[in-house]
Amino acid sequence: MNNLVNNPKKKLTLSYVVALSFVAILSISSQLIIRNVLGDQKEDSRVINISGRQRMLSQKISKLVLQLHTAKNEADYASLLDTFNNIIHLWKSSHLGLLHRDSLLNLGGDNSPVILKYFEELEPHYIVFDQATTQIAESKFGDDISEAVQNILAHEDRFLTIMNTITFQYDKESALRVKEVENLELILLSITIFCLFLEALVIFRPAVNAISRYMTLLQDQNKELEEAHQEVILSNEQKKKVQDDLIKTLRENHNLQLHANQRLEEEILARTEQIREQHHDIVQKSEALEQQNEKITEQNQQLGKLYKKVTQSINYAKKIQQATVLNRDRVISEFDDGFIMNEARDIISGDFYWFHQTPQYKFIILSDCTGHGVPAAFMTVIGNAMLNEIIISNQIHEPDLILKALDQKLYEFLNTKSHEKLRDGMDIAVVRIDEEAKKIRFSGAKRPLVIRNQKNEIEVHKGSLTTIGYIPKKENKSFTKQNIPFQKGDQIYLFSDGYQDQFGGVDDSRFQKSKMINMLKEMEFRDMKMQENVIRYQFFSWKGGKAQTDDVLFIGLQL
């Protein structure tokens, strides 16, 4: 208190600056929290919208499969199938985006344990939907899709019920987060009011008391001067001098008080103006950020349109690629049972299969071309055309000679007219089946053949270590051939390296070929469709939310 009386300017200024700074920090913190909540609310709204849209898409899928099942002509079927494929793509991407909170779909954040539990409950129904829709998407007019339609309709009600529960849970969690922020904002408001109360108690009240004491001190001094005036009444000169000194002292004190009050008011006004300017700067920066967000939103829309055009072109290229490959159901129908799992890393694949049947032999070929995406897809078209020429036109039926001819033609095609040597090629497995003689003849270029015999023993027949097309034809390449007896009911497997090279699991490592072979052993002589389901489930479970490493092609056939 003595310090405040002796030096009121310094004490009051420091206390006032500290109090105003603390209040400003609380106000800015409250604004930042509100902006953050608005951003989270925007993400929550998008999550809830997409979750709700899944129900609509699921109902639309059910409606389309019924329309496809009852289509009267091929044109209507093709039109409905195109719409069906677009909806299935949106439905799958939305499901995976919600499950993994994909930031590319503006679905940032993490799902709660409750929502993850609902997704686990939803997963079996999703898998059935996915398999059924995949079968329908690959069908053509006249194919029997009744089983797939029944599977979708059988699981539709449960899928919609769980999806509704997930949507309500998203909405509930969003409301809880808003409530928490409201409570936090109330706490900050309470702290601000409390600080204002402390400011009045700690700053203004002591100041008033100090001024009061200062005035009391002045009054005491006046009283003492008056007493002295009464005591020194000996002469008029002494009296006048005392009076003059007293008046002078009072004036000086009064001027000092006025000057101190004026300086204090000026400093308070200057500080208030400074805070106003800071507030104005904050508002301007906030407006600038909003303008930048609008520009970013516009750029994202332009990128979305460009992405849609590119995706449409690639999807059309996929149709062209599929037109060059024999339908998988047609291939499987030539055997007792089988499956073909073809999962492209991008929209179109760099892996392809080839089938041909002569009066004596059946040929099944799997090829893994360089890279993936559009460049690799071009290689599949080239490889398919060359196999047609070698096996069908030129009547070359020995697997090792087929590989040798393919290697020469591919190298000449890529390098004869090119100034720059291209080192593209493919890994391939060629299997010739003689059902009458019960013998398989196999040659491979870095791709193996796996056979399950009647004793449930797994045999791995490795291909040659050299590949097709990479190395100049001047270098001597050797492709070995293997003669393998078989019995009716034996199962054969061909696969590209995309399955075993997929990263995933707890430690983000490759799946590995050895683990894949053990998986085949454990399945024993199960139905081939069930084997495909297990192989698909193991792959996507291992992959989880990580990106697909490479194209995957996995063929299983029962002889």
Side-chain angles (χ1 to χ4, degrees), residues 39 102 107 152 306 317 334 339 357 365-366 392 402 458 543:
D102 192 349
L107 300 176
I152 290 175
L306 180 60
E334 297 297 332
F339 67 85
Q357 184 174 4
I365 298 174
L366 178 143
I392 299 176
I402 292 172
I458 298 295
K543 173 178 172 289

Side-chain angles (χ1 to χ4, degrees), residues 52-107:
R53 187 179 65 188
Q54 283 295 89
R55 173 183 176 86
M56 179 272 292
L57 291 176
S58 303
Q59 293 175 328
K60 197 164 186 179
I61 289 171
S62 301
K63 180 179 178 181
L64 282 174
V65 298
L66 290 173
Q67 292 177 342
L68 285 167
H69 189 54
T70 58
K72 302 299 183 180
N73 55 65
E74 187 172 358
D76 291 343
Y77 193 89
S79 177
L80 290 170
L81 190 61
D82 185 58
T83 303
F84 179 79
N85 286 332
N86 291 333
I87 293 176
I88 285 300
H89 175 73
L90 178 59
W91 179 76
K92 290 182 179 179
S93 63
S94 298
H95 179 84
L96 295 177
L98 287 172
L99 178 59
H100 304 295
R101 297 302 289 266
D102 192 349
S103 60
L104 294 179
L105 296 179
N106 292 326
L107 300 176

Side-chain angles (χ1 to χ4, degrees), residues 109 215 295 318 406 439:
M215 295 301 297
K295 290 181 180 179
K318 180 180 179 180
L406 179 63
K439 287 191 176 182

Side-chain angles (χ1 to χ4, degrees), residues 184-245:
L184 179 59
E185 187 177 9
L186 183 60
I187 292 172
L188 289 175
L189 178 59
S190 301
I191 294 174
T192 303
I193 295 173
F194 181 71
C195 288
L196 292 174
F197 175 76
L198 287 180
E199 182 179 350
L201 186 64
V202 176
I203 297 176
F204 293 108
R205 183 178 177 183
V208 171
N209 292 336
I211 293 172
S212 177
R213 289 187 62 186
Y214 192 71
M215 295 301 297
T216 301
L217 181 61
L218 289 177
Q219 291 175 358
D220 292 341
Q221 289 177 351
N222 288 336
K223 185 176 181 180
E224 291 176 356
L225 289 173
E226 288 178 358
E227 291 175 353
H229 176 68
Q230 294 296 330
E231 291 177 355
V232 290
I233 198 168
L234 296 175
S235 66
N236 290 334
E237 291 181 359
Q238 289 178 337
K239 181 179 179 180
K240 187 176 184 301
K241 183 179 180 182
V242 171
Q243 289 177 345
D244 291 341
D245 291 340

Side-chain angles (χ1 to χ4, degrees), residues 107-124:
L107 300 176
D110 297 315
N111 285 325
S112 68
V114 175
I115 290 178
L116 290 176
K117 182 178 179 181
Y118 287 141
F119 271 112
E120 289 179 1
E121 184 179 352
L122 183 67
E123 183 66 15

